[in-house]
Amino acid sequence: LEQLVESGGDSVQAGGSLRLSCVVSGFILKNYCVAWFREGPGKEREGVAFTNGDRDPTYADSVKGRFTVSQDPDKNALYLDMNNLRPDDTALYLCAAASGTRCYYYTHPSLFRVWGQGTQVTVSS
């Protein structure tokens, strides 16, 4: 059974930092394209960071320079380090996985097959 389980969400003040984790089971993370998405209040699901482990990660413009995505192959886990958090970063953060030879180019959530349940990040001003 393929599963993604996120953790690390919290309530923080603007300027603070958080590390989100996504633990993978049922498949080997490094063989997939993986991403962090978020759903803010009243907003559509938005891609935040994308990586497949072999190429440089890509980020949404709104988080470039503040967020960093990484993987730990030994733990089969994905991470999102978030710094200088802002109130508009408030959202449910979800990790997702996709497969396929061109998955590195995937950014639309409909192309990601496996999803976690999400972890809530709330940033107050």
Side-chain angles (χ1 to χ4, degrees):
L1 178 65
E2 298 171 327
Q3 279 191 314
L4 303 174
V5 179
E6 303 93 334
S7 62
D10 205 344
S11 295
V12 297
Q13 292 201 324
S17 300
L18 283 174
R19 166 172 261 209
L20 304 184
S21 301
C22 174
V23 177
V24 175
S25 59
F27 63 96
I28 299 174
L29 181 63
K30 67 179 181 179
N31 294 335
Y32 283 66
C33 298
V34 288
W36 286 95
F37 288 83
R38 65 185 181 186
E39 291 180 352
K43 298 180 181 178
E44 293 186 354
R45 188 168 291 186
E46 171 194 23
V48 172
F50 302 86
T51 181
N52 73 344
D54 291 333
R55 303 190 188 187
D56 291 338
T58 58
Y59 299 91
D61 288 342
S62 58
V63 306
K64 279 181 182 176
R66 301 188 298 123
F67 289 13
T68 303
V69 62
S70 61
Q71 297 185 34
D72 185 336
D74 292 336
K75 295 182 179 180
N76 211 33
L78 179 72
Y79 303 99
L80 185 68
D81 288 296
M82 307 187 294
N83 297 307
N84 193 20
L85 283 161
R86 309 184 308 214
D88 60 359
D89 293 318
T90 295
L92 180 70
Y93 283 74
L94 308 100
C95 61
S99 59
T101 56
R102 295 182 61 81
C103 66
Y104 175 74
Y105 301 99
Y106 293 176
T107 58
H108 197 279
S110 65
L111 297 174
F112 288 78
R113 185 170 56 84
V114 187
W115 289 85
Q117 82 292 344
T119 186
Q120 180 66 38
V121 173
T122 302
V123 185
S124 57
S125 58

